[in-house]
């Protein structure tokens, strides 16, 4: 058998062995060592002098010295601490009340919490299981269609590996030799856009067929408003913000109102007024940060460059000295910024003029349950995207912040800390051994000529860039049925990477398309890990086929999202090009 035939045998054998259930990392190392020993075999040398052993040491050392991989245990620890901290229950209840008047309110709240919690933790299994416990039974009891309830949990739970900070993006960056920072920026908009498409599908289905998502009874949508707040707002026709503002200027107005058996104090009024100002504060801070970065901030210095295990590209993450930073923003920016600021000002004026005691209580619940975690996630992403810290340093900030949030919520003890650290070590070890195994496997595969054979075959087809894009993504989509994303990233993605330059395809754009494509790996039978995660906590009458049926429409939405991303590349490439130059 020729060397290229041996290489193709390796590629086919690895799929068969993984499907049989053998550990992926050690399967990669084992096959790489066996076939590599045959490739390097020299009958004049002793068996222990075979060069495959030198290759194993070199590739292992390369994985050990890869700085990019340091951020993986820190982000994983951040996720496990948040999972063990049990911070999601109050979040789901608050979001449910906030969207109580929206069609399919429970499903919408489930999707939003899945998205937000997935961003914070990045753990698909943890998000699906937690939301299965918290949201699945309430949706079924409310009369929701089983397929709708199962689909929104399984699909929403996978968004955590797409929207930064994501371990999958770090793994791809190390394999492809690309910048983690640019990949984070590129994946930001497509991740939220995919979540938006899920939301449109859920609301649209509920509008077309209200029986799949009946309206909740009044007792489940009633906001628990404190009596003193309602009493304070009554003389002002329920406008609680106006009542709080006047009470702060003239406290005598509130002295006759009791709170927990005592007169309402100025401190209680200030606290309620502060909660009321949260939406205005968030919008103001967001606009201020945009103005600071676009108008004031001058981006300088190089951002993190990546040294990868398999260096298949040269990171070019450098500031664009001739870009917006030096010339200033165009006139169109000031026009758009002014129009958006004016629109938000009008919206806030209308909102506060109509703010009721119920809305104030919902804001308070959202602030307590969502805002701390939201600020932590925003800070972790902002310091990466603005080049303030590297991905590794940002991961350390996120892990420390997760501990602070869990301790503040009094939901973390020594036992849970040990569990989080143990699971982090286990997951990190799996990823690092995968890198060692894939490095050995890919080196032997290239040595045998398998890589060159596949490249020559693809190039002989005379494909256009669009045809190659469709072919590569279709192969990855099919591989997602029997395999998980880790095997696809470390084994099959490196096969396509050298061909991207020939077809003139940006590896950042192609990589983000792969990230979106791999959402289907969690939703496509027979593996479909999201389905089995949910089945483990679902009621006995819910069958695995019902869960599969609920996931199928979301696979089509994934394909639609990929088509739109290719038609409109700016959805992926605009942010990294703006932040770091072309």
């Amino acid at each position: 058998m020729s060397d290229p035939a041996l290489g193709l045998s390796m590629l086919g054998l690895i799929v068969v062995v993984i499907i049989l259930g053998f550990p992926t990392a050690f399967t990669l190392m084992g096959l790489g060592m066996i076939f590599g020993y045959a490739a390097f075999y020299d009958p004049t040398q002793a068996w222990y002098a075979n060069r495959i052993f030198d290759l194993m040491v070199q590739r292992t050392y390369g994985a050990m010295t890869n700085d990019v991989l340091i951020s993986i245990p820190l982000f994983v620890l951040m996720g496990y601490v948040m999972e063990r901290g049990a911070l999601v229950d109050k979040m789901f209840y608050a979001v449910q009340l906030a969207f109580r008047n929206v069609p399919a309110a429970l499903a919408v709240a489930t999707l939003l919490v899945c998205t937000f919690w997935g961003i914070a933790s990045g753990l698909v299994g943890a998000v699906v299981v937690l939301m299965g416990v918290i949201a699945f039974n309430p949706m079924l009891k409310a009369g929701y269609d089983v397929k709708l309830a199962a689909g929104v949990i399984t699909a929403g739970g996978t968004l955590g590996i797409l929207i930064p900070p994501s371990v999958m993006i770090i793994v791809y960056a190390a394999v492809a030799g690309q910048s983690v920072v640019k990949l984070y920026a590129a994946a930001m908009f497509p991740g939220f856009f995919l979540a938006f498409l899920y939301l449109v599908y859920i609301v649209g289905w509920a509008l077309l067929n209200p029986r799949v998502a009946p309206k909740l009874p009044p007792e489940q949508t009633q906001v628990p408003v404190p009596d003193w707040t309602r009493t304070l707002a009554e003389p002002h026709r329920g406008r609680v913000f106006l009542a709080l503002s006047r009470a702060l200027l003239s406290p005598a107005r509130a002295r006759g109102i009791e709170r927990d058996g005592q007169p309402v104090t100025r401190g209680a009024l200030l606290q309620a007024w502060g909660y009321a100002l949260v939406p205005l504060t968030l919008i103001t801070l967001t606009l201020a940060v945009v103005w600071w970065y676009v108008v004031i901030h001058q981006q300088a210095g190089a951002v993190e460059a990546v040294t990868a295990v398999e260096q298949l590209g040269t990171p070019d993450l450098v500031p664009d000295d001739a870009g917006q930073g030096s010339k200033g923003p165009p006139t169109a920016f000031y026009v758009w910024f002014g129009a958006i600021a004016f629109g938000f000002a009008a919206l806030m004026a209308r909102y506060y003029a109509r703010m009721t005691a119920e809305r104030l209580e919902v804001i308070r619940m959202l602030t307590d349950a969502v805002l701390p975690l939201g600020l932590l996630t925003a800070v972790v992403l902002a310091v990466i995207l603005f080049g303030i810290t590297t991905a590794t340093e940002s991961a350390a900030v996120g892990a420390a912040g997760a501990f602070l949030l869990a301790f503040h919520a009094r939901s973390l003890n020594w036992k849970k800390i040990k569990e989080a650290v143990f699971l982090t070590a286990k997951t990190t070890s799996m990823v690092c051994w995968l890198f060692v195994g894939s490095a050995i496997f890919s080196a032997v595969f290239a040595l045998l000529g398998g890589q060159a054979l596949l490249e020559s075959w693809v190039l002989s087809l005379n494909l256009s860039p669009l045809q190659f894009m469709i072919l590569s993504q279709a192969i990855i989509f099919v591989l997602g049925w029997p395999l998980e994303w880790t095997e696809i990233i470390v084994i099959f993605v490196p096969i396509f990477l050298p061909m991207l330059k020939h077809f003139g395809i940006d590896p950042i754009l192609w990589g983000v398309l792969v990230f979106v494509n791999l959402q289907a790996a969690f939703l496509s039978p027979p593996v479909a890990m999201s389905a089995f995660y949910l089945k483990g906590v679902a009621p006995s009458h819910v069958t695995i086929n019902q869960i599969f049926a609920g996931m199928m429409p979301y696979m089509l939405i994934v394909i639609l999202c990929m088509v739109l991303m290719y038609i409109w590349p700016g959805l992926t490439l605009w942010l990294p090009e703006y932040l770091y130059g072309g």
Side-chain angles (χ1 to χ4, degrees), residues 31 69 91 289 351 363 501:
L31 289 178
L69 301 181
M91 184 188 303
V289 169
Y351 180 78
I363 291 174
K501 185 175 182 180

Side-chain angles (χ1 to χ4, degrees), residues 43-380:
T44 62
Q45 293 181 337
W47 67 269
Y48 52 81
N50 193 290
R51 291 171 58 193
I52 188 61
F53 299 110
D54 296 332
L55 178 65
M56 180 187 68
V57 173
Q58 293 170 1
R59 295 293 176 167
T60 304
Y61 183 75
M64 293 169 60
T65 56
N66 190 345
D67 294 338
V68 178
L69 301 181
I70 298 176
S71 58
I72 291 180
L74 295 171
F75 276 130
V76 172
L77 179 62
M78 173 181 169
Y80 278 122
V81 168
M82 290 183 177
E83 179 201 356
R84 289 298 184 272
L87 304 174
V88 73
D89 299 40
K90 294 181 180 179
M91 184 188 303
F92 177 72
Y93 181 61
V95 175
Q96 172 194 340
L97 290 180
F99 290 88
R100 61 191 182 278
N101 296 323
V102 176
L106 280 178
V108 170
T110 301
L111 176 64
L112 294 176
V113 174
C114 280
T115 303
F116 189 77
W117 192 250
I119 296 171
S121 68
L123 306 172
V124 174
V127 175
V128 173
V129 170
L130 279 174
M131 295 309 299
V133 172
I134 295 172
F136 197 42
N137 280 329
M139 282 193 283
L140 295 181
K141 290 179 181 178
Y144 278 49
D145 185 86
V146 176
K147 292 184 290 185
L148 173 63
V152 68
I153 294 176
T154 52
T158 65
L159 292 170
I161 64 167
L162 171 61
I163 305 176
S166 166
V167 173
M168 180 172 66
I169 296 177
I170 299 174
V171 173
Y172 175 83
V175 169
Q178 296 297 320
S179 165
V180 177
V181 183
K182 291 188 75 171
L183 285 167
Y184 272 3
M188 188 74 67
F189 288 162
F192 287 110
F193 181 65
L194 183 60
F196 173 74
L197 292 179
Y198 288 167
L199 183 64
V200 171
Y201 166 72
I202 293 168
V203 175
W205 190 11
L207 289 174
L208 294 174
N209 186 7
R211 290 181 297 178
V212 301
K215 289 187 177 181
L216 297 176
E219 59 270 15
Q220 293 188 24
T221 59
Q222 185 175 3
V223 181
V225 179
D227 293 335
W228 74 271
T229 309
R230 196 185 300 275
T231 304
L232 181 68
E234 282 180 358
H236 301 83
R237 294 183 296 179
R239 294 179 294 179
V240 70
F241 185 75
L242 178 61
L244 287 171
S245 302
R246 289 185 175 180
L248 285 172
L249 295 175
S250 178
R253 298 173 180 269
R255 287 175 183 172
I257 303 174
E258 291 188 352
R259 180 191 181 194
D260 298 330
Q262 297 180 352
V264 175
T265 61
R266 180 181 286 271
L269 295 173
L270 280 173
Q271 184 184 47
W273 194 68
Y275 277 120
L277 289 178
V278 167
L280 178 61
T281 303
L282 291 177
I283 291 176
T284 303
L285 285 176
T286 302
L287 293 175
V289 169
V290 172
W291 180 270
W292 167 80
Y293 185 81
V294 176
V295 179
I296 300 174
H297 175 66
Q298 299 295 326
Q299 189 175 350
V303 189
E304 177 189 14
V306 177
T307 302
V309 176
E310 292 291 333
Q311 187 70 24
L312 301 177
T314 302
D316 57 351
L317 185 62
V318 294
D320 186 6
D321 294 333
Q324 290 86 350
S326 57
K327 296 181 180 179
T331 305
F333 167 78
Y334 295 101
V335 175
W336 279 103
F337 187 88
I340 292 174
F342 179 78
F344 274 124
L347 180 65
M348 287 293 99
R350 181 177 182 273
Y351 180 78
Y352 283 105
R354 299 186 177 188
M355 178 179 284
T356 62
E358 287 189 348
R359 288 186 178 181
L360 175 60
E361 184 62 19
V362 170
I363 291 174
R364 186 195 66 79
M365 296 171 65
L366 287 172
T367 302
D368 292 340
V370 180
L371 187 60
L373 189 58
L375 288 177
L376 173 62
T377 306
V379 168
V380 169

Side-chain angles (χ1 to χ4, degrees), residues 379-394:
V379 168
V380 169
L381 292 178
V383 294
I384 296 177
L385 297 179
F386 291 158
I388 299 173
T389 67
T390 64
T392 302
E393 294 164 346
S394 175

Side-chain angles (χ1 to χ4, degrees), residues 10 126 195 228 240-241 274 297 320 405 432 491 527 578:
M10 284 180 64
W228 74 271
V240 70
F241 185 75
H297 175 66
D320 186 6
L405 289 181
C432 291
I491 301 173
V527 176
Y578 179 80

